[in-house]
Amino acid sequence: MDRAGVREDHLKGIPAAFNKGVTNCGAIYKDDARTEFAGSSFNIVANSREEIIEFLKTDPYYKAGIWDVDNALIYPYGCAGRLAKDVSQP
């Protein structure tokens, strides 16, 4: 499945995701030039792996069959600091 067909809907949902526990999110690339896409990254405040999977299943990429959330890499994360970014700016 081609990501481009649902990317706009995926990006529209990001601001609302911050009300559902997301603290940051973005693309992962295979190269420094950011030309080869490798996946997606979310930091999410959640109580369980299942809660994270349920959140991911609400995304257009999952609904379009792009994300395999049952095999998502999910790890506990301790944030030592972060900068704010205006999510309305790409």
Side-chain angles (χ1 to χ4, degrees):
M1 174 58 74
D2 180 27
R3 301 174 82 84
V6 293
R7 184 173 188 266
E8 185 176 338
D9 288 337
H10 166 74
L11 293 177
K12 284 181 188 176
I14 289 175
F18 287 93
N19 294 324
K20 298 177 183 174
V22 171
T23 61
N24 64 67
C25 56
I28 301 171
Y29 297 95
K30 293 182 180 180
D31 60 339
D32 290 340
R34 298 182 180 187
T35 58
E36 193 174 351
F37 186 77
S40 301
S41 173
F42 282 86
N43 285 354
I44 304 172
V45 176
N47 294 311
S48 67
R49 176 185 174 82
E50 292 75 21
E51 189 177 322
I52 294 167
I53 290 172
E54 288 307 311
F55 165 78
L56 294 173
K57 286 182 176 181
T58 67
D59 191 279
Y61 282 161
Y62 172 79
K63 292 176 180 179
I66 295 167
W67 282 352
D68 175 9
V69 299
D70 294 325
N71 291 302
L73 300 176
I74 300 173
Y75 298 102
Y77 171 73
C79 181
R82 64 185 168 104
L83 293 173
K85 178 182 178 186
D86 181 355
V87 296
S88 66
Q89 301 298 315

